[in-house]
Amino acid sequence: MTDPNAIQPSALDQLPDRDPEETAEWQASLDAVAKAAGPHRAAYLMRRTLERAEGTGIALPKLLETDYVNTIPTPAEPSAPGDEALEARITAWNRWNAAAMVTRGSKYGVGGHIATFASAAWLYETGFNHFFKGKEADGSGDQLYIQGHASPGIYARAFLDGRLNEQQLDNFRQEAGGNGLPSYPHPRRLPWLWEFPTVSMGLGPLSAIYQARFNRYLTNRGIKDVSASHVWAFLGDGEMDEPESTAALALASREGLDNLTFVINCNLQRLDGPVRANFKIVQELEAQFRGAGWNVVKTLWGTAWDELFQLDTTGALVRRLREVPDAQVQTYQTRDAAYIRQDFFGKDPELAEMAKLLSDDKILECFHLSRGGHEARKVYAAYKAAVEFKGAPTVILAQTVKGHTLGEGFASKNANHQMKKLTVDEFKTMRDLLELPISDAQFVDGVVPYGHPGADSPEVRYLQERRAALGGPAPARRVHPVAPLPAPAEKAFASFDKGSGSQNVATTMAFVRLIKDLVRDKESGKRWVPIVPDEARTFGMESLFPSLGIYSPKGQTYEPVDRDQLMYYKEAQNGQILNEGITEAGSMADFIAASTAYSTHGETMIPFYIFYSMFGWQRTADQMWQLGDQLGRGFLVGATAGRTTLTGEGLQHADGHSPVIAATNPAALTYDPAFAYEVAAIVKDGLRRMYGEAAPGEDQNVFYYLTVYNEPLPQPAKPAVDGVDEGIVKGLYRFNTAESAGLSPVANAPRIQLLGSGTAIHWTLKAQQLLTEEWGVAADVWSATSWTELRRDALEADAALLRGEERMPYVRQALQGAEGPVLAVSDYMRQVPDQIAQWVEQDYSSLGADGFGLSDTREAARRHFGVDAESIVVAALAQLAKRGEVKATAVKEAREKYGL
């Protein structure tokens, strides 16, 4: 067996050595320099020589590239085990059914993609037959990130395996009836099959890297040994243009993630045309991955090319392959032998002579059909090299033809991504090419039939035997029964109920203090996964460094500069904190891996990701959607929240809209707590719902989004009245009345209800005092912990009403009988509190921080946006004046008095 860590072969392995003695002299010279002057001098001379060659125009690959040939030469390819003939027939059936499923669905206009799987079929089939481990062995198996547009092929294989039936195939992209198949890998829609949602381009590769990294984290922390799991990410070459696709390549190599393999289907096409029309995407990707420290395996040419490489005694063929741009390679795919002779071989006299030795059939076989990604033996060799390579992740660059086997109307055509069906005649041609036993009579009324060799056929038995040997079906998602986590001691939460007295405490600090108590819990403490993107000190989390440690697979190989301090920077191989550096996208990928460990590995983990709120949902909302689709659970914490709580940071940092974006995500429970005891109550309920004993009908597959603030303020005690905890969780409760606040309004004073959320409640409380003392108005103050949850409850009540069920929205119940109009105040744009407007029976108005942020003091910013206490007073008086409950002149007087 070849050493997987040996120097990778290049074009030299494809060419005969015309002068072995001269070659040996050059090698001996290099050895002599290395011995006499050291390896550094030898390396220096080699670099200078390569620079000289490049400068004089000698055609050599760049330092980060190898020639445009297979990394593993044909003689070095290992023999693939198994029955190649049966595997070819299985692949043929899957090709057929994938195309049939999409074509049959096209009459309903639901679309689908045929060409992607047609190009990638052997990339998947080889893995399913020989490499991808299932979950029935150790419960984890391998993690497969399937390219979204290839989903019809995966469904076709599940159909052959007996996991899907014809009716389900016919319901591809038709899910409303409850028995359909989602268009792409969507765990929320087909949770027994799909693990990872990947069709949002770029998120698959990013998530795969952090999944492989989280597997190491679980193993190194002693949670579960998942070292046998391998992460496979199937990607398109066009997809690699997404910045997220390559954002974490250095992390993967830096941490030696040899449990990770990227398989990039290089069919040279994206949705509209060539990926690199005037360049070569394979070479570009090779340089990018090699530069990032990855092991690169190129699988470009099929065995038909072996004869051509044997004839290439001068390297002319390799040079020509390196210089032809991708778009021209696509053109060869659609042209006859005469064109290829003239345009490819005719550009070089040596190649023109070579072409005379080749028949037209041989030329067409090479340029139309023979690609490394279409041959099981080539793919097997690449996969075997990948799983055996140690010390770095591997990327396999497999060249294919988009639309392969679908006929001349599909193969390499620029429009084939949008082509959704084959004609009956095209299917019959495909049938003959694949040698499938499907008769013309089976095309009833022009409808293409599904094909199946029978449940007891050699193909199906072989497929199932191979999967059994590898640990069961794949892809597959499993949620193993795990006992609910015991609730942490009540003391951790109750300590916030008494308030902070005269001490000023920001809700960010309150949250961090709560977490410090929870991670000490004997039962569940080790399952917390703190995630922070290089802002731990901003959020007061540095005290967790020495106690929990920052995860690093290398531990701490240096002496930290602050080692003599109590809160020194401690890295450890079993560290609990994931401090990701300045990458919100990477932190979210971490969060997704941790939040779905209950399914992926059967291990319940409790991630919390705390971030600068402006740089959370705004930057990574697509990943939040991915999180919901993947049924993740955990706590997202937007710290330094709000549009006016930051001093001096200004427009780019002032968050006034994150709750609006969060409200669009059905899996996100969005809270804007005002007080420390509210933070504790929400976290306590989240632990119960996601990890403990959920109530009947409650969906556990949700995640919580909390906004917390960096403004130190006195934290009040929890009101000693019934219903406070319920109100906190449901989104609204009355914090006080004018009377309970000790303001003593006059009898029959005009009354108004002030609803505040987050830090805005403090200005609301000041406005309550001003209204009573200066304007004779009684105000009751309500804490609106979640405008979004109030709205969702009201929407559910509306839906129930349409079903004939009487149900009152909670917001209406809570405010029922409350006297006077309602004025809602938020540190976010008015759209946030206005979510509940239509369900409030009282007159309703709102204040918020709409527009761009600005740099100034908090007080000046609040005056600018019209949300400070004095602005609230004026808005409240305007509401009451409209109702005739205060004089109209009071509004003008208040504006003048407060300088508005």
Side-chain angles (χ1 to χ4, degrees), residues 72 111 167 264 364 414 426 556 573 596 658 685 693 761 785:
I72 304 172
Q167 182 186 6
I264 302 181
L364 293 179
N414 281 340
E426 287 171 330
Q556 194 154 37
Q573 191 174 33
T596 54
S658 286
D685 186 71
E693 298 286 354
I761 204 167
T785 54

Side-chain angles (χ1 to χ4, degrees), residues 551-565:
Y551 172 74
S552 169
K554 291 185 175 294
Q556 194 154 37
T557 61
Y558 61 92
E559 183 178 353
V561 66
D562 54 359
R563 183 62 183 88
D564 58 343
Q565 298 178 17

Side-chain angles (χ1 to χ4, degrees), residues 754-772:
L754 302 179
L755 279 57
S757 68
T759 194
I761 204 167
H762 295 282
W763 331 321
T764 306
L765 288 168
K766 182 179 177 183
Q768 177 191 43
Q769 181 179 357
L770 292 174
L771 281 166
T772 301

Side-chain angles (χ1 to χ4, degrees), residues 376-392:
R377 180 179 177 180
K378 303 287 185 186
V379 176
Y380 180 86
Y383 285 8
K384 189 171 188 292
V387 297
E388 291 180 353
F389 192 88
K390 302 302 177 186

